[in-house]
Amino acid sequence: MSGLEVVKPGVLSLLQDCGRYGVALQGLSSGGAMDLHAFGWVNRLLSNHSNAAVVELTMGNASFRASCDVKLALCGAEMAAKVDGLAQPNWQSFILRQGQLLELGYARAGLRAYLAVEGGFQVTETLGSVATVTRNRLGGLRDGLSLQAGDRLPVAKQLLANFHSEVPKAFQGRYPEQLNLSLIESYQAPLFSESAKRAFYQGEYKVKPESDRMGIRLSGPVVSWQHAGLVSEGIAQGAVQIPPDGQPIVLMNDRQTLGGYPKLGCVARLSLNALAQARPGTGIRFVPADLDEQSEKWRSFLRFFEF
Amino acid sequence: MTLRFEPVSETHCIVYLSEVIDPSLAVSIAALAKALQAALPSALVEVVPSYTSLLLEFHPLRISRKQLERAVLEQHALLQSGQASGHAQQQTLTLPVYYHSEVGPDLDDLAASSGLAKEQVVEIHSQQVYTVCAIGFAPGFAFLASVDARIAAPRRATPRLQLPAGSVGIAERQTAVYPQQSPGGWQIIGNCPLALFDPKHSPTSPFEVGMQVRFEPVSREQFIELGGQICQDWK
């Protein structure tokens, strides 16, 4: 049944889940929610399956109208949500009655908010996932398109249990203007010169406005690469690629599957959740991290959210 | 063939099988990828084979990096000794191509710069049997090696903004068909009228890494009959 109508899709609203897997062999990107922390919580608040489809709002300025009573939750970037003009706090579940309007402003802190409905949005999967990958023209309501005004998002039967849940304060995301990212050195790290690595670790980078779901582009000290080009190889989530201009790009969910630029390693998965919320201009520093330690943290994260 | 297994992140490892590109290697890498997927159906969530390497994404609650390394070494050894089935027969995919300047705007220049007649370029391109070495760049875009050195040509200095679906291009010693309309810098010599990527079909593309591919020249009439379209507006 139709549950929520997109009145205004805002800057970019996309249906997402954990992503599409088993498709890289065909050259397709996984897609999926960029910030798995806020994504995990928004489904948790509604006791949804951990892979339930949600709407990822980038930058905000969107609105939705309920076509029937629905139980929703909102997590992630602070977008000053309002229900029929009254403030609706972030990181909580709430009920939107038939005909009521949910409005989100422009993001004030963080970049991406996640809107979930009880039971998850009921959208037909493409190749095993609802994830919208615009550049592959795949997923979402149709052909990888972002949500458009007038789109109707189907929902499951709503139980509407009248208690509201809230993410404990300590776990609510905070989105600072300076981020330290843990970096796991791998790939071509041993081939970069000492001075290139010094520039990389000692410098401060800024998130460029042309960052998107493919990659977070940074500007700052040049990281030089003295060797020839590489044979193209598979690119992991969070890989830090150094193109010929020496300005790092952190490759994210919609990245190309193969690439021939040298890579210093990968941003740790937990740091990627924070990076997904970094607005243009956010200051970035890289800190070398231990693989085993980060792996243990990531396993705890996966266990907690049952991913 | 020696193998190097390296961690990449909490969820990824990469296996390097060689330092140099060799089409026959693609066949071994594809076989290893398949064998691992069959052996670890739930723990291995993604495989990305390329020219000399295989990137593996694993679910860290279902398998440890050490266990994955052991599985890689084990499957590799099985393939080396020829016991595994993945090694067996190779399929050949034959693709019709209309080679002509009206669908291949770089054909004339490529012939001129190679010192060959257009007919010779077509003959050389269509007589070779290629191997799918990698799939990437765009959905269903298969990198095919190796193009005969006589017709190898560099990428265009300025990529075209829009190539029609089916465009057959050459870049150095690689050739490929653009499955969807896209920008591209390869030198275009013809067009394949068949649909090579359809997300509504499973599989979405006829290509598999390690597969053999041939091109078969067809006439303008056959091209149109097979659903081919002549692009009027090259950008």
Side-chain angles (χ1 to χ4, degrees), chain A residues 35 38 76-77 109-114 175 272-279 282:
Chain A
D35 174 6
L111 188 65
R112 294 185 163 90
Y114 293 86
Y175 306 120
L272 287 177
N273 291 337
L275 183 61
Q277 293 290 359
R279 306 148 66 89
T282 302

Side-chain angles (χ1 to χ4, degrees), chain A residues 186-291:
Chain A
S186 58
Y187 281 125
Q188 287 76 40
L191 299 175
F192 280 88
S193 68
E194 281 309 310
S195 66
K197 281 193 197 168
R198 210 175 309 123
F200 177 73
Y201 284 120
Q202 291 182 355
E204 187 183 282
Y205 292 90
K206 295 262 184 233
V207 173
K208 288 202 226 174
E210 53 270 43
S211 299
D212 59 16
R213 289 182 43 92
M214 261 183 98
I216 310 292
R217 293 164 179 270
L218 305 177
S219 64
V222 168
V223 183
S224 56
W225 170 253
Q226 315 287 359
H227 308 273
L230 304 170
V231 177
S232 283
E233 60 187 18
I235 303 175
Q237 176 89 339
V240 179
Q241 173 177 281
I242 309 294
D245 68 2
Q247 301 290 285
I249 302 172
V250 184
L251 293 160
M252 303 295 283
N253 303 49
D254 289 6
R255 69 193 180 279
Q256 64 278 32
T257 54
L258 298 173
Y261 290 130
K263 299 168 290 298
L264 266 163
C266 291
V267 172
R269 300 296 300 253
L270 285 177
S271 286
L272 287 177
N273 291 337
L275 183 61
Q277 293 290 359
R279 306 148 66 89
T282 302
I284 302 285
R285 282 182 180 278
F286 293 95
V287 181
D290 178 67
L291 173 61

Side-chain angles (χ1 to χ4, degrees), chain A residues 104-122:
Chain A
L104 299 117
Y106 282 106
R108 299 173 177 178
L111 188 65
R112 294 185 163 90
Y114 293 86
L115 175 66
V117 66
E118 181 174 29
F121 291 107
Q122 303 296 299

Side-chain angles (χ1 to χ4, degrees), chain B residues 86-156:
Chain B
H87 210 265
Q89 73 278 22
Q90 289 186 356
Q91 317 152 257
T92 301
L93 174 69
T94 301
L95 298 176
V97 174
Y98 173 42
Y99 294 96
H100 192 278
S101 328
E102 66 176 333
V103 290
D106 298 315
L107 181 58
D108 292 1
D109 285 353
L110 197 145
S113 63
S114 335
L116 297 165
K118 275 191 279 186
E119 295 70 25
Q120 288 173 296
V121 172
V122 173
E123 198 182 309
I124 293 169
H125 188 260
S126 57
Q127 273 178 358
Q128 189 84 343
V129 177
Y130 303 95
T131 304
V132 179
C133 285
I135 296 176
F137 168 67
F141 187 97
F143 292 85
L144 306 172
S146 296
V147 168
D148 188 298
R150 285 173 292 171
I151 58 167
R155 289 174 175 79
R156 290 167 53 86

Side-chain angles (χ1 to χ4, degrees), chain B residues 156-232:
Chain B
R156 290 167 53 86
T158 315
R160 286 198 173 82
L161 295 176
Q162 210 175 85
L163 292 172
S167 291
V168 177
I170 290 179
E172 307 298 347
R173 299 203 54 188
Q174 305 179 91
T175 186
V177 187
Y178 285 82
Q180 289 175 307
Q181 178 181 304
S182 96
W186 293 32
Q187 304 229 21
I188 306 303
I189 60 170
N191 193 288
C192 169
L194 305 185
L196 294 174
F197 179 76
D198 183 353
K200 293 182 182 70
H201 267 86
S202 183
T204 57
S205 138
F207 297 117
E208 267 183 53
V209 174
M211 174 189 266
Q212 310 287 296
V213 177
R214 289 186 51 247
F215 295 108
E216 187 176 30
V218 296
S219 67
R220 192 178 202 272
E221 290 69 35
Q222 289 169 309
F223 174 71
I224 303 286
E225 205 168 292
L226 288 165
Q229 286 176 8
I230 311 285
C231 172
Q232 309 289 358

